[in-house]
Amino acid sequence: MKLSNILKKQVTLSFEIFPPKRTGSIQTIYDTLDALHELSPDFISVTYGAGGSGNSHATCEIASAIKNQYKIESLAHLPCAGLTKEDVLTQLENFKQNGIENILALRGDILDPKQPKGDFTHASDMIVFIKEHGDFDITAACYPEGHTESKNLVEDIQNLKKKVDSGADQLITQLFFHNDYFYRFQERCSIAGIHVPIEAGIMPVVNKKQIERMASLCHVDLPPKFIAMMNRYENNPEAMRDAGIAYAIDQIVDLVVQGADGIHLYTMNNPYIAAKIYEAVHRLISK
Ligand code: FAD
């Protein structure tokens, strides 16, 4: 089923997973999925390393298993950085053959300026191309605190409007730790005429260094309450995990009460954390 049809009917709770490293066993992801699918999320998305990094070849296989074996809707990420039109057509054909209807169309990060540019400059260029070449439902990325390359929030929202006008059916946000950024972003979207559903991306913290690195790369603000929590538990992994779960639940309850269209949980392939959060919030999210 197309995600836009699910989001029309209900507030969603969905998960993100990533393929195991090329050197790792693909079986580990099936162990993760065995646990996650029991939670009946509305859909599960599978990341894809831009420019062929990571284990991007596994994205289609895993998205297909989610849909066809586990009977949960899947969302396959597809970053266009470095891809030609031919490459994208091959991916679309693979998705079609596997019954995958939903694509998270991305540009991807340009880590190596020497890498071939490919045929698409922005995610919006690939969205137009996909819409011309298949009957796919398109999700796109958005940034409550602005994308790192945007000069300011006005430019950021103008570019997001172009992306939605190109055919994005819904949006998923980058992680954020202060809900006010999300609410202000919703207001900017509304003023700019962006009216598609927006799922809020929530990442439970398990590791202080990892979150600090990610926050600095993505230009995400860490509120004082959050920093105090990480400082207090940084040397106690179990306490940090529990505090991270509690913080994420607090964020989610507030988001649902304030009318967010959905919650997308960055599970980091950790079913324990996903299950704890699911248990705490699933009754609050109307089905
Ligand atoms: P774009 O929409 O192309 O935007 C990139 C920059 O260009 C922005 O600053 C934007 O304002 C600007 N821009 C956009 N359109 C125009 C235009 N028409 N004219 C001028 N400027 C424009 N990366 C991966 O490699 N693999 C993944 O699986 C992955 N999953 C993600 C999932 C989510 C939910 C999110 C939020 C991000 C994900 N990313 C992933 C990261 C993403 O690829 C990077 O953030 C990347 O830098 C931007 O991708 P985008 O699709 O938002 O790009």
Side-chain angles (χ1 to χ4, degrees):
M1 189 195 273
K2 293 189 165 147
L3 295 197
S4 48
N5 288 332
I6 302 177
L7 275 149
K8 256 181 222 149
K9 285 190 273 174
Q10 65 201 52
V11 178
T12 51
L13 177 59
S14 56
F15 296 155
E16 179 190 282
I17 60 167
F18 53 83
K21 290 199 175 91
R22 266 178 215 273
T23 46
S25 160
I26 189 86
Q27 184 53 42
T28 58
I29 201 66
Y30 292 107
D31 297 340
T32 305
L33 283 171
D34 284 345
L36 288 182
H37 96 281
E38 289 186 3
L39 306 176
S40 311
D42 292 300
F43 64 91
I44 300 179
S45 84
V46 189
T47 67
Y48 180 117
S53 63
N55 195 357
S56 53
H57 297 287
T59 300
C60 183
E61 179 190 329
I62 297 167
S64 171
I66 291 168
K67 167 125 189 168
N68 301 308
Q69 279 168 242
Y70 292 93
K71 308 291 180 204
I72 291 172
E73 208 41 69
S74 64
L75 171 65
H77 295 209
L78 182 60
C80 59
L83 297 187
T84 63
K85 289 181 178 173
E86 278 303 306
D87 295 330
V88 172
L89 286 175
T90 306
Q91 289 288 350
L92 297 185
E93 189 53 33
N94 286 344
F95 292 154
K96 204 169 137 195
Q97 296 290 331
N98 286 281
I100 296 164
E101 296 175 80
N102 302 296
I103 300 175
L104 176 47
L106 300 149
R107 186 201 63 189
D109 284 320
I110 298 157
L111 303 172
D112 177 3
K114 284 190 225 130
Q115 98 185 25
K117 284 213 167 25
D119 288 338
F120 305 94
T121 308
H122 295 291
S124 52
D125 303 324
M126 183 172 68
I127 292 173
V128 171
F129 185 77
I130 294 175
K131 288 277 177 186
E132 282 169 2
H133 289 89
D135 182 23
F136 293 98
D137 194 80
I138 303 291
T139 305
C142 62
Y143 306 84
E145 295 170 64
H147 184 260
T148 48
E149 292 164 34
S150 295
K151 283 195 210 87
N152 53 56
L153 295 177
V154 174
E155 184 190 279
D156 196 68
I157 215 80
Q158 286 168 340
N159 289 333
L160 183 61
K161 171 83 168 111
K162 287 184 205 160
K163 190 152 66 172
V164 171
D165 289 346
S166 305
D169 297 291
Q170 54 272 325
L171 302 168
I172 301 182
T173 76
Q174 178 170 264
L175 72 168
F176 57 90
F177 297 103
H178 199 320
N179 288 358
D180 282 351
Y181 287 111
F182 180 79
Y183 302 135
R184 277 184 233 136
F185 171 70
Q186 281 183 314
E187 280 171 12
R188 287 197 301 282
C189 284
S190 182
I191 291 165
I194 297 171
H195 299 302
V196 295
I198 306 171
E199 273 210 302
I202 296 296
M203 179 175 284
V205 55
V206 282
N207 179 304
K208 183 183 177 209
K209 283 211 171 71
Q210 180 196 35
I211 289 291
E212 283 175 341
R213 197 171 50 243
M214 208 170 293
S216 140
L217 277 174
C218 305
H219 294 191
V220 168
D221 187 34
L222 300 179
K225 178 178 156 185
F226 186 80
I227 294 174
M229 178 190 86
M230 291 201 301
N231 288 343
R232 177 158 182 136
Y233 300 119
E234 64 181 313
N235 297 318
N236 184 339
E238 285 186 357
M240 175 69 99
R241 183 194 63 195
D242 292 349
I245 290 170
Y247 193 94
I249 291 170
D250 194 38
Q251 270 193 289
I252 293 169
V253 172
D254 185 57
L255 286 162
V256 172
V257 169
Q258 306 277 349
D261 297 307
I263 304 295
H264 193 58
L265 194 63
Y266 295 108
T267 70
M268 307 299 285
N269 291 4
N270 187 324
Y272 175 88
I273 291 177
K276 287 284 172 201
I277 294 176
Y278 175 87
E279 271 165 31
V281 304
H282 78 278
R283 273 182 292 278
L284 313 177
I285 296 179
S286 61
K287 286 277 173 189

